[in-house]
Amino acid sequence: MYSDEVSAFYLTTPIYYVNAQAHLGHAYTTIVADAMARYHRLAGDDTFLLTGTDEHGDKIAQAAAAAGVSPQEYTDRISGTFRDTWRRLGITNDDFIRTTEGRHKKVVQAILQTLWEAGEIYLGRYGGHYCFGCERFYTEKEIVDGKCPDHQTPLTWIEEENYFFKMSKYQAWLIDYVQQHPERIRPERYRNEILGFLRDPLQDLSISRPRTRLEWGIPLPFDDKYVTYVWFDALINYVSALDWPDGDRFRRYWPNVRHLIGKDILKPHAIYWPCMLKAAGIDVYRHLFVHGYWNVGGGKMSKTVGNVVEAFALADKYGIDAFRYFVMREMTFGLDSDFSEDAFVGRLNADLANDLGNLVSRATTLLEKATPATLPAPLAEVAGTAELRAAAGEAVRGVQRAMEEFAFQRALAAIWEFLGAANRYVDSTQPWALAKDPARRGELNRVMATLADTLRFLGIVLDPFLPGAAQKIRVAVNDDRAPSLANAAMGALQDIPRVQKLSGLFPRIDDPGKDRASGAPASSSRPSADQAGQAPPVTKGDFDRVELRVAEVLAAEAVPKSKKLLKLTVSLGAEQRTIVAGIAQHYAPGDLVGKKVVVVANLEPAKLMGIQSQGMVLAGSTEDDGALAVLVLDRDLPPGARVR
Ligand code: MSP
């Protein structure tokens, strides 16, 4: 990682169908791909990140017709929303490929032609049960009660001539290949799954649909009565974006390609694609990394169930970095995870607001007050400093090991180990105490330099994962170099730089429910929960300290010169009180007389418009138009009765 060697790194995401908007699942793949690409750039690698959209097929043509626009207009629009979403999420893709682009069609046709000429494709007759919803044939084994297992709709028997790719002949080669190169498909469970699939005979792959049935696709170069079908079109994006066969990009990046996918599309990537590559004389990819599925409420995300988490919803609410952190930290790469907003808020508060935010805030607060100075080298050690530097080195090695395996959760855990060590360093060196003792100034300065070094280190290692926060940290410590792992090691900083205080990097969320209901916009710069007027949770004991009592309104009058206030005389049973309430715009003085309301009886008295108010009347109000309603009892209770 610290070497000067420049190596190329090419990473792809799946290209997403344009029949749905981007959601959490798409966002996860794209975010981890982005973190991986940023990490490789940080390590100095020549990095290329590709994403894009998959735009052909019946479903898309139907969706366009339903929207009353041409397929091209429709795909332009939805593909545009994917692009926008990734831009707003700060995704740093180097290219965005669309299967409707000329550069892609050209390569698909060239590969088809190559395979046709090599005798790898033939025209065959096929009869089968077809589902128009899925755009595929089902085998007898897959059919449930004569219906499509996915749509539960009747299937249509279709017999037609189609072109087939001779995939079956690659079965033995593929089994051998997967066994000989165990590192290609990761994590291991997915390699085993593929070897399991390959125990059954591999069929030839139908690669076309007649244009009479499917118009929206790429025509076969050797028979334009047909278009290519789904995977033959889609998979080729990985090389069309590199200008196969003789583009510079292809030469540079293809030998270093890693595909990243969700487990749903394992089979096309681990079976069809290697066979297609082999037949076309293209090297098989270096690695296929497969992640699990996000479930919501224990089940699949689905429009019908209404539990689709839109890609941007949470980023919008809690900030992009918090969203990135949560999805990477929560999901064990390769396994399924359940998504919940409570878990999100839990991590945000514990890991981001507490561990990271507090450290940055404490350290920058101390450093802002410190005098910038160059310390005499070598620095004499303060107890714990060497250990902290060692922890930084260990964190970098931990990140490196984890990222080789796409284990984002472990990479973050390694950085959080270091954060723990850094927080302990502040606790044990107690710089605020050192600052009070002029005799210990030297020691204080060395601690300050180490804290600045800690922040500088974090501004680099956090960059792939929390790019926004990392940049703020670098700005706070005046580190304007392009972040690079080559500069990460702690110990090189011999001075106390000028530092600006950085607090509220990740404000605590105290009541996500409240935020949800009010739909308050939020970003990483949203006000802290307290500023936003949200109460932190209270214990039952806290609540019991508020004395709520039933009060009968005996009299009411307007307060002179005030539009808002009414002066109420209320009975609490044993005593009468005067309460000034801000309800005059909603209630005429006579409206409440005789009613039983609820008051805070132990509120500190306050003077309002010269009148001593001895309590507060409870009322609810809407936030937008301020409509207000006083709480009244729906059954009789004597004045003075306690409310709890
Ligand atoms: N167009 C094909 C892929 C062609 S690639 C040559 C396709 N598109 S898709 O829009 O359905 O996207 C599938 C991908 O989205 C998954 O592989 C995964 O990356 C992501 N996810 C979609 N739903 C997901 C979850 N619920 N959880 C995690 N990721 C999921 O298939």
Side-chain angles (χ1 to χ4, degrees):
M1 185 183 295
Y2 292 110
S3 88
D4 291 333
E5 207 179 285
V6 175
S7 53
F9 181 84
Y10 173 41
L11 180 64
T12 68
T13 74
I15 48 171
Y16 305 110
Y17 287 132
V18 291
N19 58 356
Q21 302 285 345
H23 60 58
L24 171 68
H26 306 127
Y28 174 74
T29 315
T30 315
I31 285 172
V32 298
D34 179 68
M36 186 54 78
R38 285 178 188 261
Y39 171 75
H40 277 272
R41 290 188 200 110
L42 201 65
D45 294 338
D46 172 11
T47 303
F48 193 83
L49 173 63
L50 178 70
T51 189
T53 43
D54 189 356
E55 307 187 6
H56 288 124
D58 247 355
K59 269 188 269 183
I60 314 259
Q62 281 160 11
V69 293
S70 70
Q72 190 63 59
E73 258 179 279
Y74 180 80
T75 53
D76 285 352
R77 190 196 301 161
I78 310 286
S79 176
T81 65
F82 270 92
R83 217 185 257 253
D84 283 352
T85 304
W86 302 151
R87 200 173 303 133
R88 289 172 68 202
L89 282 174
I91 304 298
T92 56
N93 51 302
D94 296 283
D95 198 352
F96 187 99
I97 182 101
R98 302 180 54 190
T99 54
T100 49
E101 284 176 290
R103 61 170 173 156
H104 174 71
K105 292 184 193 171
K106 196 176 81 187
V107 173
V108 170
Q109 291 191 324
I111 289 182
L112 282 165
Q113 187 66 32
T114 308
L115 297 189
W116 174 247
E117 284 167 14
E120 297 282 340
I121 291 174
Y122 64 95
L123 185 64
R125 195 160 185 84
Y126 184 80
H129 301 279
Y130 193 78
C131 171
F132 283 91
C134 303
E135 292 180 30
R136 60 166 280 203
F137 288 100
Y138 278 97
T139 60
E140 298 289 350
K141 241 168 125 181
E142 293 170 307
I143 297 172
V144 180
D145 299 332
K147 292 183 180 157
C148 163
D150 219 24
H151 291 88
Q152 285 86 46
T153 47
L155 297 157
T156 311
W157 178 262
I158 288 185
E159 232 183 280
E160 65 188 16
E161 283 199 309
N162 259 317
Y163 286 90
F164 288 83
F165 165 52
K166 292 183 182 165
M167 195 161 69
S168 57
K169 77 178 215 199
Y170 292 100
Q171 176 154 18
W173 165 80
L174 186 57
I175 294 173
D176 189 52
Y177 185 85
V178 173
Q179 282 170 340
Q180 294 304 315
H181 300 90
E183 77 295 349
R184 301 263 157 156
I185 305 174
R186 295 200 253 177
E188 196 182 345
R189 58 200 339 250
Y190 294 106
R191 182 174 72 246
N192 296 338
E193 201 173 315
I194 284 302
L195 288 171
F197 272 136
L198 288 170
R199 270 188 225 119
D200 287 337
L202 204 54
Q203 307 293 321
D204 287 345
L205 186 69
S206 161
I207 61 158
S208 70
R209 290 291 176 269
R211 280 174 94 164
T212 44
R213 200 144 62 69
L214 176 70
E215 179 63 30
W216 184 237
I218 302 174
L220 300 187
F222 43 86
D223 186 347
D224 68 4
K225 293 190 294 306
Y226 289 84
V227 294
T228 48
Y229 176 64
V230 180
W231 289 105
F232 233 81
D233 176 355
L235 288 162
I236 288 174
N237 90 87
Y238 300 135
V239 294
S240 67
L242 298 186
D243 310 316
W244 179 86
D246 41 23
D248 272 355
R249 278 179 169 187
F250 182 73
R251 270 196 294 276
R252 207 153 112 208
Y253 294 116
W254 187 253
N256 298 293
V257 58
R258 277 113 176 126
H259 297 307
L260 170 67
I261 58 165
K263 66 178 188 180
D264 54 326
I265 51 177
L266 173 64
K267 203 168 160 185
H269 282 81
I271 296 184
Y272 309 172
W273 186 222
C275 295
M276 286 165 65
L277 288 168
K278 172 84 177 148
I282 305 173
D283 287 344
V284 174
Y285 51 77
R286 281 269 282 263
H287 299 293
L288 178 65
F289 283 96
V290 188
H291 66 72
Y293 244 46
W294 282 102
N295 294 319
V296 177
K300 264 188 144 182
M301 253 189 282
S302 129
K303 262 196 196 158
T304 357
V305 180
N307 62 352
V308 178
V309 180
E310 280 187 16
F312 210 71
L314 288 143
D316 218 7
K317 193 161 162 185
Y318 300 113
I320 291 167
D321 280 2
F323 181 56
R324 287 172 71 102
Y325 178 80
F326 174 73
V327 292
M328 285 193 263
R329 185 68 187 83
E330 187 76 2
M331 180 174 258
T332 298
F333 189 87
L335 301 181
D336 291 354
S337 252
D338 202 47
F339 181 85
S340 90
E341 195 166 347
D342 287 344
F344 185 130
V345 170
R347 285 234 180 253
L348 198 167
N349 284 344
D351 301 2
L352 296 178
N354 216 30
D355 297 343
L356 175 59
N358 280 351
L359 174 72
V360 171
S361 166
R362 282 162 101 190
T364 56
T365 305
L366 289 163
L367 279 158
E368 194 187 35
K369 291 189 211 128
T371 318
T374 301
L375 306 183
L379 298 179
E381 294 292 2
V382 169
T385 308
E387 289 78 359
L388 185 61
R389 284 188 198 141
E394 190 41 53
V396 171
R397 285 186 292 279
V399 169
Q400 182 176 22
R401 280 192 300 270
M403 293 301 263
E404 274 165 20
E405 292 301 320
F406 279 49
F408 300 91
Q409 74 288 351
R410 288 214 315 266
L412 287 168
I415 298 176
W416 256 251
E417 282 281 315
F418 170 77
L419 279 173
N423 272 312
R424 288 192 295 278
Y425 180 79
V426 180
D427 293 341
S428 68
T429 54
Q430 303 208 350
W432 51 89
L434 294 177
K436 287 188 192 137
D437 185 350
R440 299 180 77 184
R441 176 133 306 247
E443 216 178 317
L444 173 68
N445 283 347
R446 292 195 296 274
V447 170
M448 287 298 165
T450 303
L451 287 184
D453 205 13
T454 300
L455 294 173
R456 203 192 47 77
F457 172 73
L458 286 172
I460 297 171
V461 289
L462 286 173
D463 188 71
F465 310 100
L466 308 175
Q471 198 194 353
K472 282 187 192 162
I473 294 172
R474 293 197 302 272
V475 169
V477 295
N478 255 314
D479 185 2
D480 52 12
R481 293 172 302 177
S484 159
L485 278 177
N487 301 329
M490 278 182 70
L493 192 71
Q494 303 288 309
D495 55 12
I496 307 172
R498 189 169 294 286
V499 171
Q500 292 152 31
K501 185 172 167 174
L502 178 55
S503 54
L505 194 57
F506 292 99
R508 264 191 86 79
I509 306 295
D510 288 318
D511 185 356
K514 174 154 181 167
D515 217 43
R516 259 190 296 249
S518 67
S523 65
S524 48
S525 63
R526 71 195 284 280
S528 77
D530 287 340
Q531 286 165 324
Q534 297 166 11
V538 293
T539 62
K540 176 75 170 62
D542 289 337
F543 179 71
D544 282 344
R545 281 199 292 282
V546 181
E547 192 188 327
L548 298 176
R549 291 196 184 273
V550 173
E552 184 175 2
V553 182
L554 303 174
E557 59 184 279
V559 173
K561 295 200 208 129
S562 168
K563 279 197 225 136
K564 289 192 179 157
L565 301 178
L566 283 187
K567 179 182 159 198
L568 307 177
T569 306
V570 299
S571 160
L572 291 185
E575 62 170 306
Q576 277 187 19
R577 290 200 186 180
T578 299
I579 293 181
V580 179
I583 57 175
Q585 284 167 320
H586 308 272
Y587 290 88
D591 289 348
L592 289 173
V593 176
K595 294 228 160 92
K596 301 254 176 75
V597 298
V598 178
V599 300
V600 181
N602 62 339
L603 192 73
E604 227 172 48
K607 259 205 173 140
L608 296 169
M609 299 295 282
I611 307 166
Q612 181 86 348
S613 176
Q614 303 159 302
M616 186 171 91
V617 176
L618 295 191
S621 65
T622 58
E623 269 169 23
D624 44 2
D625 63 3
L628 183 146
V630 167
L631 259 73
V632 293
L633 301 186
D634 79 340
R635 262 195 215 145
D636 200 26
L637 281 176
R642 184 84 196 254
V643 177
R644 43 165 71 98

